[in-house]
Amino acid sequence: MLKRISMLVVAGLAAATLAGCGSESGGGSEAGGGGGDDAIVMGFSQVGAESGWRTANTKSVQDSAKEAGITLKFSDAQQKQENQIKAIRSYIQQKVDVIAFSPVVESGWDTVLKEAQGANIPVILTDRAVDSADTSLYKTFLGSDFVEEGKKAGQWLVEEYKDASDTVNIVELQGTTGSAPANDRKSGFAEVIGADPKFKIIASQTGDFTRAKGKEVMEAFLKAHPDIDVLYAHNDDMGLGAIEAIEGAGKVPGKDIKIITVDAVKDGMQALADGKINYIVECSPLLGPQLMDLAKKVVAGESVPARVVTEETTFTQEQAKEALPSRQY
């Protein structure tokens, strides 16, 4: 009874704090899946709540766990690797059936993953990869192809400026330093535009995937570089923050400075429909259903693909207008 009361209090506090956006607090939470005593127990460590995309991703995981009858132990790392490692070790001590997490950064996971392997607890990577040479430390990686996302952004830019002869000055708002999406979106974009010397990245700095940091860094870019033609932001939230900075500088986003972003969350899509963003590469956060399906299979000892790529698209202004009414996130 005491445990039940404690769980209800935690759930109530989370709901009051976050108005239904999921358990994005500094600690952990547990959501019953309704599967009884033999229900699969999953320990899930989330990166944090740095963006609208991440909130939608958390909600997808939590809702899908309930629908699948999986008991979810949830922890928010607040974008700190040490918090994730601590959470994973806690899940190992609790002897959960499966661990899933979205790594804050790519490196530094081998030790804790070996501990999970030693405890015979399968691990699933979601959304972000790790750079471990030992791929036996996790069962599968579910998520987007971030390099391909960067390439798509670059391909639009090349097509947009195919008839231009002058230098195209680009500034880049990178995601969290060391994270897989930041590394891969940067490299994919650079690979495509690198074939034409007229495209020049004149400044590139992390905005930590947040709107506030995106605005702050873009303000610095504008002061240092009055001749910016294009902004490439690794996610919508940074792009939206940058729009505030651009407007504050007396320039027109989408016209004076072309803007490309990644994610396609509602706020970003609305800015695209309004002409303030020019192109968005989709990165879907709705990984919950696929994650629960994979969890059931690995717990049952079934083989799963080493890499599961989510299907995603791209959006122009007109396509954004068509998609917005039915957008889920």
Side-chain angles (χ1 to χ4, degrees):
M1 178 60 74
L2 183 58
K3 180 180 178 182
R4 174 177 171 83
I5 292 171
S6 177
M7 288 168 59
L8 287 171
V9 169
V10 171
L13 286 172
T17 303
L18 295 154
C21 288
S23 243
E24 294 280 5
S25 64
S29 67
E30 183 172 338
D37 293 337
D38 58 349
I40 292 172
V41 178
M42 172 188 286
F44 184 84
S45 178
Q46 182 61 283
V47 172
E50 76 280 7
S51 63
W53 191 99
R54 190 62 57 187
T55 299
N57 179 243
T58 292
K59 189 174 189 304
S60 176
V61 170
Q62 292 176 326
D63 290 350
S64 298
K66 290 178 181 178
E67 291 171 8
I70 290 176
T71 298
L72 186 70
K73 294 180 179 291
F74 182 92
S75 180
D76 177 349
Q78 298 180 324
Q79 295 184 284
K80 295 179 180 179
Q81 184 179 30
E82 59 267 30
N83 290 345
Q84 278 197 310
I85 291 173
K86 181 179 178 181
I88 293 169
R89 286 187 169 136
S90 173
Y91 296 147
I92 293 170
Q93 292 173 355
Q94 294 175 61
K95 299 180 180 180
V96 299
D97 298 303
V98 58
I99 292 171
F101 76 111
S102 180
V104 175
V105 293
E106 287 187 292
S107 302
W109 300 103
D110 282 28
T111 299
V112 73
L113 291 180
K114 285 177 182 176
E115 291 171 16
Q117 188 178 63
N120 293 315
I121 300 174
V123 173
I124 300 173
L125 305 178
T126 71
D127 173 44
R128 299 181 179 185
V130 298
D131 62 5
S132 174
D134 185 357
T135 56
S136 73
L137 295 176
Y138 55 91
K139 294 295 183 181
T140 184
F141 166 40
L142 165 66
S144 304
D145 185 334
F146 300 131
V147 173
E148 184 61 26
E149 289 171 354
K151 287 181 178 179
K152 288 176 180 177
Q155 287 159 359
W156 179 86
L157 185 61
V158 168
E159 179 64 22
E160 181 72 8
Y161 285 89
K162 64 181 178 182
D163 297 325
S165 55
D166 295 336
T167 298
V168 179
N169 292 322
I170 305 161
V171 294
E172 180 180 31
L173 282 169
Q174 298 179 42
T176 303
T177 301
S179 68
N183 293 341
D184 294 351
R185 287 171 187 165
K186 180 177 179 64
S187 65
F189 182 76
E191 179 182 334
V192 171
I193 67 168
D196 190 333
K198 75 183 175 193
F199 294 110
K200 184 180 179 183
I201 298 178
I202 58 175
S204 183
Q205 186 175 325
T206 181
D208 288 333
F209 284 126
T210 68
R211 197 172 302 199
K213 190 69 173 179
K215 180 181 179 182
E216 177 187 325
V217 175
M218 190 65 196
E219 286 173 342
F221 283 166
L222 289 162
K223 289 177 182 177
H225 306 282
D227 53 351
I228 298 169
D229 299 306
V230 176
L231 163 66
Y232 169 44
H234 288 189
N235 79 339
D236 290 344
D237 278 76
M238 290 189 296
L240 291 166
I243 286 172
E244 294 180 35
I246 292 167
E247 291 176 333
K251 294 180 180 289
V252 180
K255 293 183 179 179
D256 295 333
I257 298 176
K258 303 281 187 182
I259 300 175
I260 310 165
T261 66
V262 181
D263 272 356
V265 296
K266 275 188 176 179
D267 285 354
M269 292 284 277
Q270 186 61 61
L272 177 57
D274 294 339
K276 294 185 178 184
I277 291 176
N278 302 88
Y279 191 68
I280 294 181
V281 179
E282 183 181 38
C283 181
S284 175
L286 307 181
L287 306 182
Q290 286 176 285
L291 174 58
M292 299 310 147
D293 181 59
L294 288 169
K296 288 181 177 180
K297 288 178 178 178
V298 299
V299 170
E302 298 178 28
S303 62
V304 295
R307 180 75 170 92
V308 180
V309 180
T310 51
E311 291 185 10
E312 293 153 344
T313 187
T314 58
F315 293 95
T316 60
Q317 182 178 26
E318 290 307 312
Q319 290 168 331
K321 289 178 180 177
E322 292 176 9
L324 265 172
S326 60
R327 201 70 179 157
Q328 294 183 52
Y329 58 92

